[in-house]
Amino acid sequence: MSTLSVVVVGYGDEPDLPACLAAIRGELAEGDDVVLVDNGVTALPDLTGVRLVTAPGNGGFADGCHLGADATAGDVLVFVNSDAVIGPGALDAIRSAVHDPGVGLATGLVVMADDPAVVNAAGNPVHFLGISWAGGFGEPSSRHQAPRDVASISGAFFAVRRTVWEQLGGLDRSYFLYHEDADLSLRCWLAGLRVVFTPTAVAEHAYTFAKNPDKMFLLERNRLVTVLTSYPTPLLRRVLPALLVTEPLLLVMAVAQGWAGPKLRSWVWLVRNATAIRARRQRIQAQGGSWELVASHLDSRIHQEVTSAPAAMAFLNSLLAGYWRLTGLQRV
């Protein structure tokens, strides 16, 4: 059996971290290990049976994941959010999912900690504009009991063989927070490896949705970086017209919802970092891959359930789906 290393990244107040680590320790097999990356935890819990890696500073979630992976030697890497508690058999289930050489990434069934019968994320969809959201959010977990391919993992709980992690370069440290799971997943599909949802690997997540200026900036910046760099040229050519039309519309929505500043900051960042963006694109696209495979896993409609949809969303979705049909790559 392959060995497994679990990585948990902690920062700030971590009320759920003791339960998170205790659940992991209880599921480890012989030869497995768990590491906590301290990105600035206010008060460390009992670390019996846990290796501690102290980061030189808070480099963000992706950087913490790399620090943890580099400090371990397991054949399979599993990443668990510090506010998530895995269920019985979860590690064995997600370990088994990535044994298939055709599978690159596996994500578990993430349910709400305060109501485990309700889904937090059952694999994440990705829209062709790069927008990603928690798949199945708010739905009964009983509806999500069949394994399937998904566009993206949920960063709250996922696994990857170390060889695939190294092949893909892991999560992009420059993203700092947000959308790095979608970017990694699309690059995995580009490499010809499947991304799968494994419902028997369950984790209860103490999830709360919050918006702040820094989060909105990172979400928008990282989404656009993914589209501009991880989309192969034939796909990017099809997406760019829709992107150029919808970006001003998103700015109008941002003004109405009070986050126009972060939206504008994302555009300014892209312009100022155009050289780095071109370099990232060249590096990713040099590896080749099937753009049709990536495109086939993108959605044509946005179905975000975490926040209330603007009144015009139904109309916008109709336009986006119609445009996607014109490309011949519709997937609703």
Side-chain angles (χ1 to χ4, degrees):
M1 184 173 68
S2 59
T3 57
L4 180 150
S5 293
V6 184
V7 177
V8 179
V9 180
Y11 173 76
D13 294 332
E14 292 283 9
D16 302 293
L17 185 55
C20 170
L21 295 176
I24 292 168
R25 285 195 299 260
E27 293 294 310
L28 296 177
E30 184 177 355
D32 297 344
D33 65 340
V34 55
V35 59
L36 170 65
V37 179
D38 179 9
N39 267 3
V41 178
T42 303
L44 291 171
D46 175 22
L47 296 177
T48 302
V50 178
R51 187 184 314 170
L52 178 67
V53 173
T54 302
N58 180 22
F61 177 71
D63 183 67
C65 288
H66 277 274
L67 291 174
D70 291 346
T72 60
D75 303 315
V76 173
L77 294 166
V78 177
F79 299 89
V80 181
N81 266 20
S82 55
D83 57 356
V85 177
I86 61 170
L91 290 187
D92 283 343
I94 207 162
R95 182 199 324 246
S96 296
V98 293
H99 277 173
D100 183 339
V103 171
L105 294 165
T107 192
L109 173 59
V110 183
V111 298
M112 304 296 287
D114 58 358
D115 189 353
V118 175
V119 171
N120 176 194
N124 293 345
V126 181
H127 188 267
F128 67 80
L129 293 176
I131 298 169
S132 182
W133 58 94
F137 181 86
E139 297 177 2
S141 55
S142 58
R143 294 184 188 174
H144 298 272
Q145 296 301 310
R148 63 181 186 274
D149 288 359
V150 291
S152 173
I153 56 170
S154 166
F157 182 32
F158 72 96
V160 57
R161 294 190 304 282
R162 185 178 295 273
T163 53
V164 174
W165 174 263
E166 293 171 349
Q167 174 189 347
L168 299 177
L171 299 170
D172 192 316
R173 284 178 158 103
S174 71
Y175 278 41
F176 190 77
L177 280 173
Y178 309 119
H179 205 78
E180 60 275 269
D181 47 2
D183 176 72
L184 178 65
S185 298
L186 293 177
R187 289 189 281 116
C188 185
W189 280 115
L190 184 59
L193 294 169
R194 294 166 55 211
V195 180
V196 300
F197 165 66
T198 306
T200 51
V202 179
E204 297 183 2
H205 189 202
Y207 176 80
T208 55
F209 179 78
K211 290 195 297 185
N212 60 67
D214 286 339
K215 179 175 182 177
M216 298 310 296
F217 161 70
L218 290 170
L219 280 170
E220 285 300 287
R221 181 197 70 172
N222 296 348
R223 169 181 72 88
L224 292 171
V225 169
T226 293
V227 171
L228 294 173
T229 62
S230 296
Y231 282 19
T233 299
L235 176 58
L236 184 59
R237 286 174 177 164
R238 287 163 169 79
V239 169
L240 272 179
L243 196 68
L244 292 173
V245 170
T246 55
E247 281 298 290
L249 296 178
L250 284 174
L251 178 58
V252 172
M253 185 178 72
V255 170
Q257 296 182 350
W259 53 277
K263 179 59 182 170
L264 290 171
R265 279 176 58 204
S266 72
W267 289 351
V268 171
W269 189 96
L270 292 174
V271 172
R272 290 179 174 174
N273 292 271
T275 300
I277 291 171
R278 282 194 296 269
R280 184 181 197 266
R281 176 171 182 80
Q282 290 172 357
R283 183 174 67 253
I284 293 172
Q285 301 307 321
Q287 299 174 14
S290 169
W291 69 270
E292 293 98 335
L293 184 60
V294 176
S296 70
H297 290 88
L298 299 177
D299 270 84
S300 64
R301 296 176 182 268
I302 301 169
H303 301 282
Q304 295 207 57
E305 303 294 340
V306 179
T307 58
S308 57
M313 182 55 74
F315 177 68
L316 179 59
N317 266 333
S318 296
L319 290 179
L320 291 172
Y323 174 79
W324 202 233
R325 279 195 297 271
L326 291 176
T327 69
L329 296 169
Q330 181 187 22
R331 177 182 179 272
V332 178

